[in-house]
Every structure is written in structure tokens, then in C-alpha cells.
Amino acid sequence: MAAKVSVSTSTFYCQRALELCQIALLLAKTGKNKEAAEICMFISSLCAKSPRDNCKEESRLCRASAEARKNGRLEEANRLCLEARRICSKNYEVTGG
């Protein structure tokens, strides 16, 4: 029963994580790295709640990105963030012309 609950709530956690990720990316772009790092740490905790293995890795990368951003290692933070977003099974980008 507990496994079914975690699977059904993971969709909710994923959706919140994606919404917060957009906010964190915007904050990082505007130089508000401390605020972005705080949000990324929370996102990491949401991703960790998913039963999927790739979400566990995404959580680890997101947390590492937040730590790097908090410590001023912005290039590393951006690289880790991009890596986390690439393995996210719910992440997608829609572009139009």
C-alpha cells in the first residue's frame, strides 16, 4: 500500500519541482544565486520522494548544484543543474516558431 501512495504522490512532487525549477533558473539568471540555491535544495528533496532511480540521481545532482551555487562555484552549479534537468523524466521543452 505504501508503494502505491508514493507512486501516486510522486506526480504531484514532480510537478511542483518543475515549477520551482523554472523559478530557480530565473533567479540564477538574474544573479540571485543564494535564493536559487535554497529553492534547488528543496527541489532535491521533492525529487528524492520519487520511486524512479533516475529521480534519485537527479535529486543528488540538484543538491550538488545548490551547494556549488551557494559556494560561488557558478560554472559547476550550472553544469550540474543542466545534467539534472537532462535526466528528469518529466522535463521537456516546447519551442515554437
Coordinates of all heavy atoms in Angstrom, one line a residue:
M1 N 0.8 -1.2 0.0 CA 0.0 0.0 0.0 C 0.9 1.3 0.0 O 0.6 2.2 -0.7 CB -0.9 0.0 1.2 CG -1.8 1.1 1.3 SD -3.0 1.1 0.0 CE -4.2 2.2 0.6
A2 N 1.9 1.3 0.8 CA 2.8 2.5 0.9 C 3.4 2.8 -0.5 O 3.6 3.9 -0.8 CB 3.9 2.3 2.0
A3 N 3.8 1.7 -1.2 CA 4.4 1.9 -2.5 C 3.4 2.6 -3.5 O 3.8 3.5 -4.2 CB 4.8 0.6 -3.1
K4 N 2.1 2.3 -3.4 CA 1.1 2.9 -4.3 C 1.0 4.4 -3.9 O 0.8 5.2 -4.8 CB -0.2 2.2 -4.2 CG -0.2 0.8 -4.8 CD -1.6 0.2 -4.7 CE -1.6 -1.2 -5.4 NZ -2.9 -1.8 -5.3
V5 N 1.0 4.7 -2.6 CA 0.9 6.1 -2.2 C 2.1 6.9 -2.7 O 1.9 8.0 -3.3 CB 0.8 6.2 -0.7 CG1 0.9 7.6 -0.2 CG2 -0.5 5.6 -0.2
S6 N 3.3 6.4 -2.6 CA 4.5 7.1 -3.1 C 4.4 7.3 -4.6 O 4.9 8.3 -5.1 CB 5.8 6.4 -2.6 OG 5.9 5.2 -3.3
V7 N 3.9 6.3 -5.3 CA 3.8 6.5 -6.8 C 2.8 7.5 -7.1 O 3.0 8.3 -8.0 CB 3.5 5.1 -7.4 CG1 3.1 5.3 -8.9 CG2 4.7 4.1 -7.3
S8 N 1.7 7.5 -6.5 CA 0.6 8.4 -6.8 C 0.9 9.9 -6.4 O 0.5 10.8 -7.1 CB -0.7 8.0 -6.2 OG -0.7 8.0 -4.8
T9 N 1.7 10.0 -5.3 CA 2.1 11.4 -4.9 C 3.3 11.9 -5.7 O 3.5 13.1 -5.7 CB 2.3 11.5 -3.4 OG1 3.3 10.5 -3.1 CG2 1.1 11.2 -2.6
S10 N 4.1 11.0 -6.3 CA 5.3 11.4 -7.0 C 5.0 12.4 -8.1 O 5.7 13.3 -8.4 CB 6.1 10.2 -7.4 OG 5.5 9.5 -8.5
T11 N 3.8 12.2 -8.8 CA 3.4 13.1 -9.9 C 3.2 14.5 -9.3 O 3.7 15.5 -9.9 CB 2.1 12.6 -10.5 OG1 2.3 11.3 -11.0 CG2 1.7 13.5 -11.6
F12 N 2.6 14.6 -8.2 CA 2.5 15.9 -7.5 C 3.8 16.6 -7.2 O 4.1 17.7 -7.5 CB 1.6 15.8 -6.3 CG 1.6 17.0 -5.4 CD1 0.8 18.1 -5.8 CD2 2.4 17.1 -4.3 CE1 0.8 19.3 -5.0 CE2 2.4 18.3 -3.5 CZ 1.6 19.4 -3.9
Y13 N 4.7 15.8 -6.6 CA 6.1 16.3 -6.3 C 6.8 16.7 -7.5 O 7.5 17.7 -7.5 CB 6.9 15.2 -5.5 CG 6.3 15.0 -4.1 CD1 6.1 13.7 -3.7 CD2 6.0 16.0 -3.3 CE1 5.6 13.5 -2.4 CE2 5.5 15.8 -2.0 CZ 5.3 14.5 -1.6 OH 4.8 14.3 -0.3
C14 N 6.7 15.9 -8.6 CA 7.4 16.2 -9.9 C 6.9 17.6 -10.4 O 7.7 18.4 -10.9 CB 7.2 15.1 -10.9 SG 8.1 13.6 -10.6
Q15 N 5.6 17.7 -10.4 CA 5.0 19.0 -11.0 C 5.5 20.2 -10.2 O 5.9 21.2 -10.7 CB 3.5 18.9 -11.0 CG 2.8 20.1 -11.6 CD 3.2 20.2 -13.1 OE1 3.4 19.2 -13.8 NE2 3.5 21.4 -13.5
R16 N 5.5 20.1 -8.8 CA 6.0 21.2 -8.0 C 7.5 21.5 -8.3 O 7.9 22.6 -8.4 CB 5.8 20.9 -6.5 CG 4.3 20.8 -6.1 CD 3.5 22.1 -6.1 NE 2.8 22.5 -7.3 CZ 1.8 21.8 -8.0 NH1 1.5 20.6 -7.7 NH2 1.2 22.4 -9.0
A17 N 8.2 20.4 -8.4 CA 9.7 20.5 -8.6 C 9.9 21.2 -9.9 O 10.8 22.1 -10.0 CB 10.4 19.1 -8.6
L18 N 9.2 20.9 -11.0 CA 9.4 21.5 -12.3 C 9.0 23.0 -12.2 O 9.7 23.9 -12.8 CB 8.6 20.8 -13.4 CG 9.1 19.5 -13.8 CD1 8.0 18.7 -14.6 CD2 10.4 19.6 -14.5
E19 N 8.0 23.3 -11.5 CA 7.6 24.7 -11.4 C 8.6 25.5 -10.6 O 9.0 26.6 -11.0 CB 6.2 24.8 -10.7 CG 5.1 24.3 -11.6 CD 3.8 24.2 -10.8 OE1 3.7 24.5 -9.6 OE2 2.8 23.7 -11.4
L20 N 9.1 24.9 -9.5 CA 10.1 25.6 -8.7 C 11.4 25.7 -9.5 O 12.2 26.7 -9.3 CB 10.3 24.9 -7.4 CG 9.1 25.0 -6.4 CD1 9.3 24.0 -5.3 CD2 9.0 26.4 -6.0
C21 N 11.7 24.7 -10.3 CA 13.0 24.8 -11.1 C 13.0 26.0 -12.1 O 14.0 26.6 -12.2 CB 13.1 23.5 -11.9 SG 14.7 23.3 -12.8
Q22 N 11.9 26.3 -12.7 CA 11.8 27.4 -13.5 C 12.0 28.7 -12.7 O 12.8 29.6 -13.2 CB 10.4 27.5 -14.2 CG 10.1 26.5 -15.2 CD 11.1 26.5 -16.4 OE1 11.4 27.6 -16.9 NE2 11.7 25.4 -16.7
I23 N 11.5 28.8 -11.5 CA 11.8 30.0 -10.7 C 13.3 30.0 -10.3 O 13.9 31.1 -10.4 CB 10.9 29.9 -9.4 CG1 9.4 30.1 -9.8 CG2 11.3 31.0 -8.4 CD1 8.4 29.8 -8.7
A24 N 13.8 28.9 -9.9 CA 15.3 28.9 -9.6 C 16.2 29.3 -10.7 O 17.1 30.0 -10.6 CB 15.7 27.5 -9.1
L25 N 15.8 28.8 -11.9 CA 16.6 29.2 -13.1 C 16.5 30.7 -13.4 O 17.5 31.3 -13.7 CB 16.1 28.4 -14.3 CG 16.4 26.9 -14.4 CD1 15.7 26.2 -15.5 CD2 17.9 26.7 -14.6
L26 N 15.4 31.3 -13.2 CA 15.2 32.7 -13.4 C 16.0 33.5 -12.4 O 16.7 34.5 -12.7 CB 13.7 33.1 -13.3 CG 13.4 34.5 -13.6 CD1 13.8 35.0 -15.0 CD2 11.9 34.8 -13.4
L27 N 15.9 33.0 -11.1 CA 16.7 33.7 -10.1 C 18.2 33.6 -10.4 O 18.9 34.6 -10.2 CB 16.4 33.1 -8.7 CG 15.0 33.4 -8.1 CD1 14.8 32.5 -6.9 CD2 15.0 34.9 -7.7
A28 N 18.7 32.5 -10.8 CA 20.1 32.3 -11.1 C 20.5 33.2 -12.2 O 21.6 33.8 -12.2 CB 20.4 30.8 -11.4
K29 N 19.7 33.3 -13.3 CA 20.0 34.2 -14.4 C 20.1 35.6 -14.0 O 20.8 36.4 -14.6 CB 18.9 34.1 -15.5 CG 19.1 32.9 -16.4 CD 18.1 33.0 -17.5 CE 18.4 31.9 -18.5 NZ 17.4 31.9 -19.6
T30 N 19.4 36.0 -13.0 CA 19.4 37.4 -12.5 C 20.4 37.7 -11.4 O 20.4 38.7 -10.8 CB 18.0 37.9 -12.1 OG1 17.5 37.1 -11.0 CG2 17.0 37.9 -13.3
G31 N 21.2 36.6 -11.1 CA 22.3 36.8 -10.1 C 21.9 36.5 -8.7 O 22.7 36.7 -7.8
K32 N 20.7 36.1 -8.5 CA 20.2 35.8 -7.1 C 20.5 34.3 -6.8 O 19.6 33.5 -6.6 CB 18.7 36.1 -7.0 CG 18.4 37.6 -7.2 CD 17.0 37.9 -7.2 CE 16.8 39.4 -7.4 NZ 15.4 39.7 -7.5
N33 N 21.8 34.1 -6.7 CA 22.3 32.7 -6.5 C 21.9 32.1 -5.2 O 21.6 30.9 -5.1 CB 23.8 32.6 -6.8 CG 24.0 32.9 -8.3 OD1 23.6 32.1 -9.1 ND2 24.7 34.0 -8.6
K34 N 21.9 32.8 -4.1 CA 21.6 32.3 -2.8 C 20.1 31.8 -2.8 O 19.8 30.7 -2.3 CB 21.8 33.3 -1.7 CG 21.5 32.8 -0.3 CD 21.7 33.9 0.7 CE 21.3 33.3 2.1 NZ 20.9 34.3 3.0
E35 N 19.3 32.6 -3.3 CA 17.8 32.3 -3.4 C 17.6 31.0 -4.3 O 16.8 30.1 -3.9 CB 17.0 33.4 -3.9 CG 17.0 34.6 -2.9 CD 18.1 35.6 -3.2 OE1 19.1 35.3 -3.8 OE2 18.0 36.7 -2.6
A36 N 18.3 31.0 -5.4 CA 18.2 29.9 -6.3 C 18.7 28.6 -5.7 O 18.0 27.6 -5.8 CB 19.0 30.2 -7.6
A37 N 19.8 28.7 -4.9 CA 20.3 27.5 -4.2 C 19.3 27.0 -3.2 O 19.2 25.8 -3.1 CB 21.6 27.9 -3.6
E38 N 18.7 27.9 -2.5 CA 17.7 27.4 -1.5 C 16.5 26.7 -2.1 O 16.1 25.6 -1.6 CB 17.2 28.6 -0.7 CG 18.2 29.2 0.2 CD 17.7 30.5 0.9 OE1 16.5 30.9 0.8 OE2 18.5 31.2 1.5
I39 N 16.1 27.2 -3.3 CA 15.0 26.5 -4.0 C 15.5 25.2 -4.5 O 14.7 24.2 -4.4 CB 14.4 27.4 -5.1 CG1 13.7 28.6 -4.5 CG2 13.5 26.6 -6.0 CD1 13.3 29.6 -5.5
C40 N 16.7 25.1 -5.0 CA 17.2 23.9 -5.6 C 17.3 22.8 -4.5 O 17.1 21.6 -4.8 CB 18.5 24.1 -6.3 SG 18.4 25.1 -7.8
M41 N 17.7 23.2 -3.3 CA 17.8 22.2 -2.2 C 16.4 21.6 -1.9 O 16.3 20.4 -1.7 CB 18.3 22.9 -0.9 CG 19.8 23.2 -1.0 SD 20.7 21.7 -1.1 CE 21.6 21.8 0.4
F42 N 15.4 22.5 -2.0 CA 14.0 22.0 -1.7 C 13.6 21.1 -2.9 O 13.0 20.0 -2.7 CB 13.0 23.1 -1.6 CG 11.7 22.7 -1.3 CD1 11.4 22.0 -0.1 CD2 10.6 22.9 -2.2 CE1 10.1 21.6 0.2 CE2 9.4 22.5 -1.9 CZ 9.1 21.8 -0.7
I43 N 13.9 21.5 -4.1 CA 13.6 20.6 -5.3 C 14.2 19.3 -5.1 O 13.6 18.2 -5.4 CB 14.1 21.3 -6.6 CG1 13.2 22.6 -6.9 CG2 14.0 20.4 -7.8 CD1 13.8 23.5 -7.9
S44 N 15.5 19.2 -4.7 CA 16.2 18.0 -4.4 C 15.4 17.1 -3.5 O 15.3 15.9 -3.7 CB 17.6 18.2 -3.9 OG 18.2 17.1 -3.5
S45 N 14.8 17.6 -2.5 CA 14.0 16.8 -1.5 C 12.7 16.3 -2.2 O 12.3 15.2 -1.9 CB 13.7 17.6 -0.3 OG 12.7 18.6 -0.5
L46 N 12.2 17.1 -3.1 CA 11.0 16.6 -3.8 C 11.3 15.4 -4.8 O 10.6 14.4 -4.8 CB 10.3 17.7 -4.6 CG 9.7 18.9 -3.8 CD1 9.2 20.0 -4.7 CD2 8.6 18.4 -2.9
C47 N 12.4 15.6 -5.5 CA 12.8 14.5 -6.5 C 13.1 13.3 -5.7 O 12.9 12.2 -6.3 CB 14.0 15.0 -7.3 SG 13.6 16.4 -8.4
A48 N 13.7 13.4 -4.5 CA 14.1 12.2 -3.8 C 12.9 11.4 -3.4 O 13.0 10.2 -3.1 CB 14.9 12.6 -2.5
K49 N 11.7 11.9 -3.4 CA 10.5 11.2 -3.0 C 10.0 10.3 -4.1 O 9.1 9.5 -3.9 CB 9.4 12.2 -2.6 CG 9.7 13.0 -1.3 CD 8.6 14.0 -1.0 CE 9.0 14.9 0.1 NZ 9.2 14.3 1.4
S50 N 10.5 10.4 -5.3 CA 10.0 9.6 -6.4 C 10.6 8.2 -6.3 O 11.7 8.0 -5.9 CB 10.4 10.2 -7.7 OG 10.1 9.4 -8.8
P51 N 9.8 7.2 -6.7 CA 10.4 5.8 -6.7 C 11.3 5.5 -7.8 O 12.0 4.5 -7.8 CB 9.1 5.0 -6.8 CG 8.1 5.9 -7.4 CD 8.4 7.3 -7.0
R52 N 11.4 6.4 -8.8 CA 12.3 6.2 -10.0 C 13.7 6.4 -9.7 O 14.1 7.3 -9.0 CB 11.9 7.1 -11.1 CG 10.6 6.8 -11.8 CD 10.4 7.7 -13.1 NE 9.1 7.9 -13.4 CZ 8.3 8.9 -13.0 NH1 8.8 9.8 -12.2 NH2 7.1 9.0 -13.4
D53 N 14.6 5.5 -10.2 CA 16.0 5.6 -10.0 C 16.6 6.9 -10.5 O 17.5 7.5 -9.9 CB 16.8 4.4 -10.5 CG 16.5 3.1 -9.7 OD1 16.1 3.2 -8.5 OD2 16.7 2.0 -10.3
N54 N 16.2 7.3 -11.7 CA 16.7 8.5 -12.3 C 16.4 9.7 -11.5 O 17.1 10.7 -11.5 CB 16.3 8.6 -13.8 CG 14.8 8.9 -14.0 OD1 14.0 8.2 -13.3 ND2 14.5 9.8 -14.9
C55 N 15.3 9.7 -10.8 CA 14.9 10.8 -10.0 C 15.8 10.9 -8.7 O 16.1 12.0 -8.3 CB 13.4 10.7 -9.5 SG 12.3 10.8 -10.9
K56 N 16.2 9.8 -8.2 CA 17.2 9.8 -7.1 C 18.5 10.4 -7.6 O 19.1 11.2 -6.8 CB 17.5 8.3 -6.6 CG 16.3 7.6 -6.3 CD 15.6 8.0 -5.0 CE 14.5 7.0 -4.6 NZ 13.3 7.7 -4.2
E57 N 19.0 10.1 -8.8 CA 20.2 10.7 -9.3 C 20.0 12.2 -9.6 O 20.9 13.0 -9.3 CB 20.6 10.0 -10.6 CG 21.8 10.5 -11.2 CD 23.1 10.5 -10.4 OE1 23.1 9.9 -9.3 OE2 24.1 11.1 -10.8
E58 N 18.8 12.5 -10.1 CA 18.5 13.9 -10.3 C 18.5 14.7 -9.0 O 19.0 15.8 -8.9 CB 17.1 14.1 -11.0 CG 16.7 15.5 -11.2 CD 15.3 15.6 -11.7 OE1 14.6 14.6 -11.8 OE2 14.9 16.7 -12.1
S59 N 18.0 14.1 -7.9 CA 18.0 14.7 -6.6 C 19.4 15.0 -6.2 O 19.7 16.1 -5.7 CB 17.3 13.8 -5.6 OG 17.4 14.3 -4.3
R60 N 20.3 14.0 -6.3 CA 21.7 14.1 -5.9 C 22.4 15.3 -6.7 O 23.1 16.1 -6.1 CB 22.4 12.8 -6.2 CG 23.9 12.8 -5.6 CD 24.7 11.6 -6.1 NE 24.9 11.7 -7.5 CZ 25.8 12.5 -8.1 NH1 26.5 13.3 -7.4 NH2 26.0 12.4 -9.5
L61 N 22.1 15.3 -8.0 CA 22.7 16.4 -8.9 C 22.2 17.7 -8.5 O 23.0 18.7 -8.5 CB 22.5 16.1 -10.3 CG 23.2 14.9 -10.9 CD1 22.6 14.5 -12.3 CD2 24.7 15.2 -11.0
C62 N 20.9 17.8 -8.2 CA 20.3 19.1 -7.9 C 20.9 19.6 -6.6 O 21.2 20.8 -6.4 CB 18.8 18.9 -7.8 SG 17.8 20.4 -7.9
R63 N 21.0 18.7 -5.6 CA 21.6 19.1 -4.3 C 23.1 19.6 -4.5 O 23.5 20.6 -3.9 CB 21.5 17.9 -3.3 CG 22.2 18.2 -2.0 CD 21.9 17.1 -1.0 NE 20.5 17.0 -0.7 CZ 19.8 17.7 0.2 NH1 20.4 18.7 0.8 NH2 18.6 17.5 0.4
A64 N 23.8 18.9 -5.3 CA 25.2 19.2 -5.6 C 25.3 20.6 -6.3 O 26.2 21.4 -6.0 CB 25.9 18.2 -6.4
S65 N 24.4 20.8 -7.2 CA 24.3 22.1 -7.9 C 24.0 23.2 -6.9 O 24.6 24.3 -7.0 CB 23.2 22.1 -9.0 OG 23.0 23.3 -9.6
A66 N 23.1 23.0 -6.0 CA 22.7 24.0 -5.0 C 23.9 24.3 -4.1 O 24.2 25.5 -3.8 CB 21.5 23.5 -4.1
E67 N 24.6 23.3 -3.7 CA 25.8 23.5 -2.8 C 26.9 24.3 -3.6 O 27.5 25.2 -3.0 CB 26.4 22.2 -2.4 CG 25.6 21.4 -1.4 CD 25.5 22.1 0.0 OE1 26.4 22.9 0.3 OE2 24.5 21.9 0.7
A68 N 27.1 24.0 -4.9 CA 28.1 24.7 -5.7 C 27.7 26.1 -5.8 O 28.5 27.1 -5.7 CB 28.3 24.0 -7.0
R69 N 26.4 26.4 -6.1 CA 25.9 27.7 -6.3 C 26.0 28.5 -5.0 O 26.4 29.7 -5.0 CB 24.4 27.7 -6.8 CG 23.9 29.0 -7.2 CD 22.5 28.9 -7.9 NE 22.6 28.1 -9.0 CZ 23.1 28.4 -10.2 NH1 23.6 29.6 -10.4 NH2 23.1 27.6 -11.2
K70 N 25.7 27.9 -3.9 CA 25.8 28.6 -2.6 C 27.3 29.0 -2.3 O 27.5 30.0 -1.7 CB 25.3 27.6 -1.5 CG 24.9 28.3 -0.3 CD 24.4 27.4 0.9 CE 23.8 26.1 0.5 NZ 23.4 25.3 1.6
N71 N 28.2 28.2 -2.8 CA 29.6 28.4 -2.5 C 30.3 29.2 -3.6 O 31.5 29.3 -3.7 CB 30.4 27.1 -2.3 CG 29.9 26.5 -1.0 OD1 29.8 27.1 0.0 ND2 29.6 25.2 -1.0
G72 N 29.5 29.8 -4.6 CA 30.0 30.7 -5.6 C 30.7 30.0 -6.8 O 31.3 30.6 -7.6
R73 N 30.5 28.6 -6.9 CA 31.1 27.9 -8.0 C 30.0 27.8 -9.1 O 29.4 26.7 -9.3 CB 31.6 26.5 -7.5 CG 32.7 26.6 -6.5 CD 33.3 25.2 -6.1 NE 32.4 24.1 -6.0 CZ 31.8 23.8 -4.9 NH1 32.0 24.4 -3.7 NH2 31.0 22.7 -4.8
L74 N 29.8 28.9 -9.7 CA 28.6 29.0 -10.6 C 28.7 28.2 -11.9 O 27.7 27.6 -12.3 CB 28.4 30.5 -11.0 CG 28.1 31.4 -9.8 CD1 27.9 32.8 -10.2 CD2 27.0 30.9 -8.9
E75 N 29.9 28.1 -12.4 CA 30.0 27.2 -13.6 C 29.7 25.8 -13.3 O 29.0 25.1 -14.1 CB 31.5 27.4 -14.1 CG 31.6 27.2 -15.6 CD 33.0 27.6 -16.1 OE1 33.3 28.8 -16.1 OE2 33.7 26.6 -16.5
E76 N 30.2 25.3 -12.2 CA 29.9 23.9 -11.8 C 28.5 23.8 -11.5 O 27.8 22.8 -11.8 CB 30.8 23.6 -10.5 CG 30.5 22.2 -10.0 CD 31.3 21.9 -8.7 OE1 32.1 22.8 -8.2 OE2 31.1 20.8 -8.1
A77 N 27.9 24.7 -10.8 CA 26.5 24.7 -10.5 C 25.6 24.6 -11.7 O 24.7 23.8 -11.8 CB 26.1 25.9 -9.6
N78 N 25.9 25.4 -12.7 CA 25.2 25.4 -14.0 C 25.3 24.1 -14.7 O 24.3 23.5 -15.2 CB 25.6 26.5 -14.9 CG 25.2 27.9 -14.3 OD1 24.3 28.0 -13.5 ND2 25.9 28.9 -14.7
R79 N 26.5 23.5 -14.7 CA 26.7 22.2 -15.3 C 25.9 21.1 -14.7 O 25.3 20.3 -15.3 CB 28.2 21.9 -15.3 CG 28.6 20.5 -16.0 CD 30.0 20.2 -15.8 NE 30.5 20.1 -14.5 CZ 30.3 19.1 -13.6 NH1 29.6 18.1 -14.0 NH2 30.8 19.2 -12.4
L80 N 26.0 21.1 -13.3 CA 25.2 20.1 -12.6 C 23.7 20.2 -12.8 O 23.0 19.2 -12.9 CB 25.6 20.1 -11.1 CG 27.0 19.7 -10.8 CD1 27.4 20.1 -9.3 CD2 27.1 18.2 -10.9
C81 N 23.3 21.4 -12.8 CA 21.8 21.7 -13.0 C 21.4 21.2 -14.4 O 20.3 20.6 -14.5 CB 21.6 23.2 -12.9 SG 19.9 23.7 -13.1
L82 N 22.2 21.5 -15.4 CA 21.8 21.0 -16.7 C 21.8 19.5 -16.8 O 20.9 18.9 -17.4 CB 22.8 21.6 -17.7 CG 22.6 21.2 -19.2 CD1 21.2 21.7 -19.7 CD2 23.7 21.8 -20.1
E83 N 22.7 18.9 -16.1 CA 22.8 17.4 -16.1 C 21.5 16.9 -15.4 O 20.9 15.9 -15.9 CB 24.1 17.0 -15.4 CG 24.5 15.6 -15.6 CD 25.8 15.2 -15.0 OE1 26.7 16.1 -14.9 OE2 25.9 14.1 -14.5
A84 N 21.1 17.5 -14.3 CA 19.9 17.1 -13.6 C 18.7 17.2 -14.5 O 17.9 16.3 -14.5 CB 19.8 17.8 -12.3
R85 N 18.6 18.3 -15.1 CA 17.4 18.5 -16.0 C 17.4 17.6 -17.1 O 16.3 17.2 -17.6 CB 17.4 20.0 -16.5 CG 17.0 20.9 -15.3 CD 16.9 22.4 -15.8 NE 18.2 22.9 -16.1 CZ 18.5 23.6 -17.2 NH1 17.6 23.9 -18.1 NH2 19.7 24.1 -17.3
R86 N 18.5 17.2 -17.6 CA 18.6 16.2 -18.8 C 18.1 14.9 -18.4 O 17.5 14.2 -19.3 CB 20.0 16.1 -19.3 CG 20.4 17.3 -20.2 CD 21.7 17.1 -20.8 NE 22.1 18.2 -21.7 CZ 23.3 18.7 -21.9 NH1 24.3 18.1 -21.3 NH2 23.5 19.6 -22.7
I87 N 18.3 14.4 -17.2 CA 17.8 13.1 -16.8 C 16.4 13.1 -16.2 O 15.8 12.0 -16.0 CB 18.8 12.4 -15.8 CG1 18.8 13.1 -14.5 CG2 20.2 12.2 -16.5 CD1 19.6 12.4 -13.5
C88 N 15.8 14.2 -16.0 CA 14.5 14.3 -15.5 C 13.5 13.7 -16.5 O 13.4 14.2 -17.6 CB 14.1 15.8 -15.2 SG 12.4 16.0 -14.6
S89 N 12.7 12.7 -16.1 CA 11.8 12.1 -17.0 C 10.6 13.0 -17.3 O 9.8 12.7 -18.2 CB 11.4 10.7 -16.4 OG 10.8 10.9 -15.1
K90 N 10.3 14.0 -16.5 CA 9.2 14.8 -16.7 C 9.5 16.2 -17.3 O 8.7 17.0 -17.7 CB 8.5 15.2 -15.3 CG 8.0 14.0 -14.6 CD 6.7 13.4 -15.3 CE 6.1 12.3 -14.5 NZ 4.9 11.8 -15.0
N91 N 10.8 16.4 -17.5 CA 11.3 17.7 -18.1 C 11.2 17.6 -19.6 O 11.6 16.7 -20.2 CB 12.7 18.0 -17.6 CG 13.2 19.4 -18.0 OD1 12.4 20.3 -18.2 ND2 14.4 19.5 -18.2
Y92 N 10.7 18.7 -20.2 CA 10.6 18.8 -21.6 C 10.6 20.3 -21.9 O 10.2 21.1 -21.1 CB 9.4 18.1 -22.2 CG 8.1 18.6 -21.7 CD1 7.4 19.6 -22.3 CD2 7.5 18.0 -20.6 CE1 6.2 20.0 -21.9 CE2 6.3 18.4 -20.1 CZ 5.7 19.4 -20.8 OH 4.5 19.9 -20.3
E93 N 11.0 20.6 -23.1 CA 11.0 22.0 -23.6 C 10.2 22.1 -24.9 O 10.4 21.3 -25.8 CB 12.4 22.5 -23.8 CG 12.5 23.9 -24.2 CD 13.9 24.4 -24.4 OE1 14.8 23.6 -24.1 OE2 14.1 25.5 -24.9
V94 N 9.3 23.0 -24.9 CA 8.5 23.2 -26.1 C 8.9 24.5 -26.7 O 8.9 25.5 -26.0 CB 7.0 23.2 -25.8 CG1 6.1 23.5 -27.0 CG2 6.5 22.0 -25.1
T95 N 9.3 24.5 -28.0 CA 9.6 25.7 -28.7 C 8.8 25.8 -29.9 O 8.4 24.8 -30.5 CB 11.1 25.7 -29.0 OG1 11.4 24.6 -29.8 CG2 12.0 25.7 -27.8
G96 N 8.5 27.0 -30.3 CA 7.7 27.2 -31.5 C 8.3 28.3 -32.4 O 9.3 28.9 -32.0
G97 N 7.8 28.4 -33.5 CA 8.4 29.3 -34.5 C 7.4 30.2 -35.1 O 6.2 30.1 -35.0

